[in-house]
Amino acid sequence: MRSNQARLNTGNVVPLLGLGTYSSSNDSEITEKAIHMAIKMGYRHFDTAKIYGSEPALGKALMEAMNDGVVDREDIFVTSKLWSSDHHDPVSALNQSLQNLGMEYVDLYLVHWPVRFKSWAEYPIPNEEDFEDLDLESTWAGMEKCLELGLCKAIGVSNFSTKKLQHLLDFASVCPAVNQVEMHPMWRQNKLRKFCGEHKIHVSAYMPLGGPGNFWGSTSIVKEPIILSIAQKHKATPAQVALRWGMQKGASVIVKSFNEDRISENISALNVKLDDNDMINIEKLMERKILRGDHLINKTTSPYETIEQLWDYEI
């Protein structure tokens, strides 16, 4: 197995560097162009979700690349996610995602958030009346059915704390293969990564650069003096240092950019090698979670009255 891959508990491998396809503008032409560029540069891991609206663009770009003989389906790792309004029927939701993608299966299907909405709430920011009680056992049974039917090669979760993972493990017939969470040099997830390592759950990092360019994002990571110093030492960019840090921690990193230079810069992080001192110095950075999930908090209908409840005080 190459050093730029990790093996999941299913036996399948996941490339450590992935291209995220979320875009607030959701311009399919721009998305397709970026995916084509990424494939040519060597990207083989692509992350989407129903709520991103990018499944059709990703599927079209990948199909064109496969038809042109640039890649085979077996070379590509595709992740999509169950939106909170689809917890009542993950099989139907995944079938719809597969139709959007024009594919027979995805490599990984994730429960997007540990929260359930009413079926009409097919939008990112819920209203108070959109929440339903989360029945994780029922949701996970549907996810396991997706796996059993061959609609996906692996199932997992996203935005789960260690406590929520433990609850899932208490009844799951199939252990989640992945937990995708915010993770970067300023939000290192030490407790969660330790728990996931003990249970052979792969950690996938979204916002590995802090989500610059998004309205909730931050550019502080690539401006940190410690990161800048390490970058100068290795003749690398701060972004490459941040991405390489995540990969050396054993995580796959999902980085989103549709800019050709940035796409090229990010994949070159695979060529950077941080030493022990670099890793130790990064541990000195003050931690701060950026995507807190405030939109999922209310005191009347949400299962979470506070941010601390959502993350089980791992914040």
Side-chain angles (χ1 to χ4, degrees), residues 43-299:
Y43 285 77
R44 295 295 181 263
H45 180 181
F46 297 90
D47 183 271
T48 185
K50 172 185 175 175
I51 200 65
Y52 298 168
S54 60
E55 289 174 333
L58 175 60
K60 183 181 177 188
L62 291 178
M63 189 61 63
E64 288 172 355
M66 288 186 271
N67 289 339
D68 291 343
V70 179
V71 289
D72 295 324
R73 176 63 185 94
E74 295 73 26
D75 300 327
I76 298 292
F77 192 99
V78 175
T79 298
S80 194
K81 307 179 191 80
L82 176 82
W83 185 237
S84 299
S85 61
D86 292 321
H87 279 235
H88 61 286
D89 193 353
V91 171
S92 294
L94 180 48
N95 273 317
Q96 182 60 58
S97 286
L98 292 174
Q99 189 174 327
N100 291 342
L101 287 160
M103 293 180 170
E104 294 182 354
Y105 67 90
V106 292
D107 299 274
L108 177 63
Y109 196 46
L110 303 177
V111 178
H112 205 148
W113 284 91
V115 64
R116 174 173 169 155
F117 301 156
K118 292 185 170 69
S119 59
W120 63 70
E122 296 187 356
Y123 32 79
I125 309 297
N127 303 306
E128 285 200 14
E129 64 269 20
D130 293 334
F131 288 87
E132 289 188 345
D133 290 339
L134 176 63
D135 179 1
L136 190 56
E137 292 193 39
S138 163
T139 299
W140 195 250
M143 297 292 285
E144 290 180 350
K145 189 67 176 176
C146 290
L147 188 64
E148 181 185 326
L149 292 170
L151 304 177
C152 54
K153 300 291 187 183
I155 53 176
V157 295
S158 181
N159 298 300
F160 272 50
S161 65
T162 56
K163 183 177 179 180
K164 289 181 175 62
L165 280 175
Q166 184 59 68
H167 172 56
L168 176 56
L169 292 173
D170 287 343
F171 60 78
S173 298
V174 177
C175 175
V178 171
N179 186 18
Q180 187 182 109
V181 292
E182 178 183 342
M183 176 181 156
H184 44 71
M186 295 181 72
W187 191 248
R188 296 183 285 279
Q189 297 280 16
N190 289 333
K191 178 181 178 181
L192 184 71
R193 285 190 294 105
K194 183 175 185 290
F195 180 92
C196 287
E198 290 168 351
H199 293 86
K200 295 182 170 57
I201 300 169
H202 175 73
V203 175
S204 187
Y206 70 75
M207 289 172 56
L209 301 178
N214 296 314
F215 68 88
W216 65 82
S218 169
T219 59
S220 60
I221 294 167
V222 295
K223 293 180 179 178
E224 276 292 325
I226 286 175
I227 299 295
L228 290 167
S229 174
I230 295 170
Q232 186 176 27
K233 168 182 163 183
H234 291 284
K235 296 183 172 55
T237 67
Q240 288 168 348
V241 169
L243 294 174
R244 190 62 205 172
W245 172 85
M247 290 186 275
Q248 286 187 211
K249 287 293 186 181
S252 52
V253 293
I254 309 299
V255 61
K256 184 263 161 178
S257 178
F258 291 170
N259 175 281
E260 184 171 6
D261 291 338
R262 291 277 188 266
I263 293 171
S264 177
E265 174 188 344
N266 292 338
I267 198 170
S268 295
L270 292 167
N271 303 321
V272 177
K273 175 64 176 170
L274 305 182
D275 60 37
D276 291 345
N277 283 336
D278 300 329
M279 302 299 279
I280 290 168
N281 284 329
I282 287 172
E283 291 290 325
K284 298 173 184 175
L285 290 170
M286 184 175 294
E287 293 202 78
R288 179 175 70 90
K289 183 165 177 54
I290 296 170
L291 185 61
R292 289 159 42 90
D294 299 86
H295 61 295
L296 300 176
I297 307 303
N298 72 63
K299 294 186 182 298

